[in-house]
């Protein structure tokens, strides 16, 4: 499993253990760092020590694993009948559906639960009850290469037609990837949803049923196939074979005119000296009315009890100071309204403002559906066919819709 936020750290497991209290809380957490120097172990180490200093009767025992391993580790612990008290991982709905999790309002104080950003809190719900507590979030914006745009004499696009015109101008200047369209198996579900939203669609409809083959989505992918891919404006790698990490790397090499990206691309591009700009995702007639928001999750298991201690510790975890510290360490968006307001106003966080502004109009994957994991996996392997030569957007989206309905009815 990978983080919903696209993190790719590959550090091994490491334990963080504190005092000798009467109650030991076990937390399994994901690593957002990309080296030992910025491992999340350091964040949790400090947090655990600070909490234990004020709570001598509680020991916080944290194991930190890479995103390659953390979801599997938790699954194995649950299967063995020994779940952690808390897990900070990529998905919560399966455990909620099996009645293994505490409800958020059984744990958190009212002010803390009320402070979650609205869209994120809603995405943590199953049938109207919140089990998943957002821990980190991100949005996507359109990145563009300022140097290549200046050379082509173009301005950042606001609509689909603008984007296609800009891509044509970039192609004429010999740009390798005028618009990079990563629909490869690494993270195709993200690029897919970003485009669906820009066309007024999405994975689900207004009553939260799957609507993958909606007229809006079919129109969006028909446009992509005919106006971008069919006109050779997406580069030498077929979209269905282009992964996000490769697209980001190509942008950092100055080979991409435009692509959708999240905050980590800022550092990648900046480190390579690429001058970039960021604008909202273009929509059908103008800037998209909504954008993709993504989140990773905190959850608490019922098995070992400790409800009061878990709740008190999580209130501490979600204090504004701690949410800000984590968000700033990893260039992520805070999951609470109070921390978001602070970051929006702070000069030191101005590089994240385009993403913070997008968060308020963002829509998240349908993570409250236990079928989403299967549907997402299928999108990753199939959606590229919708824009391939000879491919049928109507047929591919119809196939995905039928599979999604079957997966949902099987739950």
């Amino acid at each position: 499993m990978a983080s919903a936020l696209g993190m790719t750290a590959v550090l091994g497991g490491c334990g963080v253990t504190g005092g000798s209290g009467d109650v030991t809380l076990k937390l399994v957490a994901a690593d957002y760092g990309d080296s030992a120097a910025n491992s999340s172990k350091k964040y949790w180490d400090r947090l655990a020590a600070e909490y234990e200093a004020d709570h001598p009767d509680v020991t916080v025992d944290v194991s930190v694993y890479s995103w390659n391993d953390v979801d599997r580790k938790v699954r194995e612990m649950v299967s063995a009948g020994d779940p952690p008290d808390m897990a900070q991982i990529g998905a919560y709905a399966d455990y909620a559906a099996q009645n293994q999790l505490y409800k958020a309002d059984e744990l958190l104080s009212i002010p803390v639960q009320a402070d979650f950003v609205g869209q994120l809190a809603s995405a943590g719900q199953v049938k109207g009850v919140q089990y998943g507590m957002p821990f980190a979030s991100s949005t996507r914006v359109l990145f563009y290469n300022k140097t290549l745009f200046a050379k082509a004499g173009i301005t950042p696009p606001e609509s689909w037609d603008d984007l296609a015109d800009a891509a044509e101008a970039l192609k004429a200047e010999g740009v390798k990837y005028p618009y990079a369209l990563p629909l490869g198996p690494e993270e195709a579900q993200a690029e897919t949803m970003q485009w669906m939203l820009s066309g007024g669609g999405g994975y689900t409809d207004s009553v939260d049923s799957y609507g993958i083959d909606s007229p809006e989505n079919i129109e969006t992918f028909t446009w992509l196939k005919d106006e971008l891919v069919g006109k050779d404006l997406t580069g030498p790698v077929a979209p269905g074979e282009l992964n996000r990490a490769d697209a980001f790397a190509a942008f950092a090499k100055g080979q991409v005119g435009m692509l959708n990206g999240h905050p980590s691309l800022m550092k990648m591009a900046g480190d390579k000296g690429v001058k970039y700009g960021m604008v909202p995702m273009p929509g059908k007639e103008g800037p998209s009315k909504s954008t993709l928001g993504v989140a990773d999750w905190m959850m608490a298991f019922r098995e070992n009890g400790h409800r009061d201690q878990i709740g008190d510790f999580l209130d501490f975890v979600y204090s504004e100071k701690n949410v800000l510290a984590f968000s700033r360490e990893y260039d992520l968006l805070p999951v609470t309204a109070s921390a978001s307001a602070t970051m929006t106003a702070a000069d030191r966080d101005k590089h994240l403002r385009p993403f913070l502004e997008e968060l308020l109009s963002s829509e998240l994957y349908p993570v409250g559906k236990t079928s989403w994991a299967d549907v997402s996996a299928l999108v990753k392997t199939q959606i590229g066919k919708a824009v391939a030569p000879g491919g049928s957007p109507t047929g591919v989206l119809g196939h995905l819709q039928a599979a999604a309905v079957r997966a949902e009815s099987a739950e």
Side-chain angles (χ1 to χ4, degrees):
M1 292 288 292
S3 156
L5 307 184
M7 297 296 172
T8 55
V10 293
L11 303 183
C14 39
V16 181
T17 311
S20 54
D22 302 326
V23 171
T24 296
L25 297 180
K26 292 187 176 181
L27 166 62
V28 173
D31 201 329
Y32 290 79
D34 55 14
S35 69
N38 70 344
S39 169
S40 297
K41 176 184 184 301
K42 293 188 174 183
Y43 174 81
W44 287 113
D45 208 353
R46 178 192 62 77
L47 214 63
E50 191 176 333
Y51 184 79
E52 290 167 352
D54 290 335
H55 301 81
D57 57 334
V58 176
T59 298
V60 182
D61 180 356
V62 188
S63 297
V64 178
Y65 296 98
S66 80
W67 277 108
N68 291 343
D69 300 321
V70 68
D71 289 273
R72 175 177 53 81
K73 289 282 186 182
V74 172
R75 197 161 53 245
E76 288 171 353
M77 294 170 75
V78 172
S79 296
D82 186 29
D85 296 285
M86 295 165 282
Q88 186 271 299
I89 52 177
Y92 67 87
D94 280 358
Y95 301 119
Q98 293 163 26
N99 198 33
Q100 294 174 317
L101 302 180
Y102 283 115
K103 301 172 186 175
D105 62 11
E106 293 178 306
L107 301 166
L108 303 174
S109 65
I110 291 173
V112 170
Q113 187 175 7
D115 196 28
F116 286 131
V117 172
Q119 294 95 318
L120 303 179
S122 296
Q125 296 178 357
V126 174
K127 297 179 180 176
V129 178
Q130 185 178 359
Y131 296 92
M133 293 162 276
F135 183 75
S137 68
S138 182
T139 56
R140 306 294 164 97
V141 298
L142 185 78
F143 281 72
Y144 66 96
N145 184 310
K146 286 186 172 182
T147 304
L148 297 179
F149 265 58
K151 187 179 176 186
I154 53 178
T155 56
E158 295 187 358
S159 68
W160 287 358
D161 286 345
D162 293 344
L163 188 148
D165 291 344
E168 288 276 14
L170 291 162
K171 180 186 175 185
E173 291 293 334
V175 175
K176 188 173 182 180
Y177 294 89
Y179 178 84
L181 182 65
L183 295 177
E186 179 194 356
E187 205 193 24
Q189 82 284 2
E191 186 77 7
T192 296
M193 184 165 173
Q194 187 80 339
W195 275 99
M196 285 177 170
L197 291 172
S198 76
Y203 284 117
T204 56
D205 58 24
S206 58
V207 294
D208 200 35
S209 297
Y210 282 112
I212 297 173
D213 63 347
S214 69
E216 294 84 359
N217 292 340
I218 290 171
E219 182 180 357
T220 295
F221 275 85
T222 300
W223 186 89
L224 279 172
K225 180 176 184 292
D226 295 344
E227 302 301 324
L228 289 188
V229 182
K231 294 183 177 178
D232 197 26
L233 300 177
T234 54
V237 180
E241 297 172 11
L242 181 64
N243 282 324
R244 177 193 57 82
D246 296 327
F248 277 21
F251 187 84
K253 291 176 184 173
Q255 298 174 339
V256 175
M258 304 171 277
L259 84 171
N260 287 318
H262 53 61
S264 69
L265 184 55
M266 292 188 294
K267 186 175 189 308
M268 284 182 66
D271 286 349
K272 297 286 188 179
V274 172
K275 294 179 180 178
Y276 62 88
M278 299 180 292
V279 293
M281 172 69 180
K284 188 177 172 185
E285 306 293 344
S288 179
K289 293 182 173 61
S290 59
T291 189
L292 171 65
V294 291
D296 295 328
W297 302 96
M298 177 74 76
M299 64 210 72
F301 288 87
R302 294 177 173 276
E303 180 76 18
N304 303 319
H306 304 155
R307 187 182 82 172
D308 292 345
Q309 292 88 347
I310 293 170
D312 191 68
F313 177 67
L314 290 177
D315 275 357
F316 174 72
V317 167
Y318 284 108
S319 67
E320 183 178 338
K321 179 187 76 167
N322 289 328
V323 171
L324 282 171
F326 183 84
S327 301
R328 285 168 169 161
E329 174 68 26
Y330 299 106
D331 272 341
L332 293 168
L333 304 185
V335 296
T336 62
S338 57
S340 293
T342 297
M343 286 186 84
T344 299
D347 237 21
R348 64 180 289 189
D349 302 310
K350 62 184 178 183
H351 62 297
L352 286 173
R353 278 180 198 153
F355 300 94
L356 286 161
E357 290 165 1
E358 293 285 288
L359 186 60
L360 297 177
S361 62
S362 66
E363 293 189 30
L364 281 79
Y365 302 126
V367 290
K369 293 180 176 293
T370 55
S371 59
W372 169 242
D374 290 338
V375 173
S376 175
L378 197 59
V379 169
K380 290 179 183 183
T381 61
Q382 299 296 315
I383 196 64
K385 298 175 182 177
V387 298
S392 165
T394 301
V396 172
L397 294 174
H399 167 71
L400 289 169
Q401 172 68 12
V405 169
R406 285 195 301 273
E408 182 72 0
S409 62
E411 298 299 338

